[in-house]
């Protein structure tokens, strides 16, 4: 009897402890592959991949962006999700590439991306609203010039997301400012929220990339092949879901 009473008190204590603990969030944090640029610098392709929250199914979404307009190429994106938990992320990534291969080949996409700056998800003590980068020097020399990219939320002139009426935390769109030698200018501002973003809750700077060994992207002004990768966190089933937005800085 004493043992049963002890176990009952222990179980009750655990229930109280669990009630006091904050709820864990297990959103879908997509990874990213830089598939590459077209040889003429007109297009950039990337793939998002991960395990979908709730279902546990692997998925991969492959995007081809026309850099002059910042929009998806015709017929994109390719979205693969197999409703079988035994199917791996590697398998769905391969399937997305295979399905997109005719377009990738026709546009001659395959030139590798050069990552000028990146804020990894495990990086500590970083400001996710700014990203500094420079024109790579030769050998081990320091970058020739310093650029600072800054992100800010914007709402003026944009219809709020549907979730604004649900009482959930949300943001509208975002803008990017670029500082060079202390002079700042706006290089991008949302005028609407793409339906693919769902209900945005936060934006963060993730990376700046350009075609590998193409330093002409810096001169005299940043060209369209210099692109920012922005993480967008949207309301999900079990927590914020992370996807990516591509912004050509020379638009």
């Amino acid at each position: 009897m004493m043992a049963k009473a002890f176990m009952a008190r222990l179980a009750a204590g655990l229930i109280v402890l669990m009630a006091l603990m904050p709820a864990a969030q297990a959103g879908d944090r997509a990874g990213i592959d830089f598939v590459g640029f077209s040889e003429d610098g007109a297009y950039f392709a990337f793939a998002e991949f991960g395990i979908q929250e709730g279902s546990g199914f692997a998925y991969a979404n492959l995007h081809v962006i026309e850099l002059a307009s910042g929009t998806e190429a015709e017929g994109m994106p390719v979205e693969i999700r197999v409703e079988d938990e035994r199917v791996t992320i590697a398998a769905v990534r391969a399937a997305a590439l295979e399905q997109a291969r005719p377009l990738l080949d026709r546009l001659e996409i395959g030139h590798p991306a050069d990552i000028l700056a990146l804020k990894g998800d495990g990086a500590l003590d970083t400001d996710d609203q700014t990203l500094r980068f420079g024109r790579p020097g030769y050998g081990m020399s320091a970058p020739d010039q310093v650029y600072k990219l800054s992100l800010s939320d914007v709402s003026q002139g944009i219809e709020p997301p549907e979730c604004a009426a649900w009482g959930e935390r949300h943001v509208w769109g975002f803008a990017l400012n670029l500082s060079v030698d202390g002079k700042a200018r706006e290089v991008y501002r949302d005028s609407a929220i793409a339906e693919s973003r769902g209900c945005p809750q936060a934006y963060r700077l993730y990376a700046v990339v350009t075609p590998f060994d193409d330093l002409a992207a810096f001169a005299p002004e940043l060209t369209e092949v210099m692109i920012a990768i922005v993480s967008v966190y949207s309301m999900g089933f079990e927590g914020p879901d992370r996807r990516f937005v591509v912004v050509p800085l020379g638009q």
Side-chain angles (χ1 to χ4, degrees):
M1 294 293 294
M2 292 180 61
K4 289 183 178 181
F6 172 76
M7 292 302 295
R9 289 195 300 271
L10 178 61
L14 288 173
I15 291 172
V16 172
L17 180 61
M18 291 173 66
L20 294 174
M21 292 176 64
Q25 290 190 332
D28 166 4
R29 181 177 63 89
I32 187 169
D33 277 337
F34 301 132
V35 178
F37 291 84
S38 59
E39 290 298 330
D40 62 3
Y43 295 90
F44 173 71
F46 72 98
E48 305 162 320
F49 57 87
I51 300 295
Q52 191 177 54
E53 60 176 344
S55 72
F57 301 140
Y59 68 87
N61 306 321
L62 194 146
H63 304 264
V64 176
I65 307 298
E66 183 185 29
L67 297 181
S69 63
T71 60
E72 292 269 8
E74 186 176 356
M76 291 291 111
V78 168
E79 299 178 331
I80 302 292
R81 189 191 72 160
V82 180
E83 296 186 0
D84 185 340
E85 293 182 356
R86 296 169 297 179
V87 176
T88 65
I89 291 177
V92 295
R93 287 169 64 190
L97 277 171
E98 181 180 3
Q99 186 171 325
R101 180 53 57 192
L103 179 63
L104 297 176
D105 289 345
R106 180 167 63 83
L107 298 178
E108 298 184 313
I109 294 175
H111 190 91
D114 196 357
I115 302 172
L116 301 179
L118 183 146
K119 294 195 173 183
D121 295 339
L124 300 175
D125 302 323
T126 60
D127 175 6
D128 55 33
Q129 302 298 293
T130 63
L131 189 59
R132 298 172 73 247
F133 64 98
R135 186 177 188 272
Y138 292 97
M140 297 175 64
S141 58
D144 294 335
Q145 195 169 18
V146 176
Y147 297 77
K148 181 181 177 181
L149 195 60
S150 302
L151 182 151
S152 59
D153 297 334
V154 297
S155 59
Q156 187 174 2
I158 301 177
E159 288 294 323
E162 183 181 355
C163 64
W166 304 346
E168 297 287 342
R169 181 185 185 277
H170 62 275
V171 296
W172 278 258
F174 68 91
L176 293 177
N177 281 273
L178 185 69
S179 297
V180 185
D181 296 330
K183 298 180 180 179
R185 64 184 178 90
E186 187 174 88
V187 293
Y188 177 80
R189 175 175 287 267
D190 273 330
S191 58
I193 301 175
E195 186 177 343
S196 59
R197 295 190 201 176
C199 180
Q201 295 185 291
Y203 296 98
R204 295 179 180 178
L205 285 169
Y206 184 77
V208 173
V209 302
T210 196
F212 182 75
D213 207 26
D214 183 9
L215 301 188
F218 282 91
E221 296 287 341
L222 296 187
T223 67
E224 291 165 353
V225 295
M226 180 75 67
I227 61 178
I229 310 293
V230 177
S231 297
V232 51
Y233 292 83
S234 299
M235 184 186 303
F237 181 68
E238 297 177 344
D241 291 345
R242 193 263 298 276
R243 298 294 185 268
F244 297 96
V245 177
V246 167
V247 180
L249 296 180
Q251 284 183 320

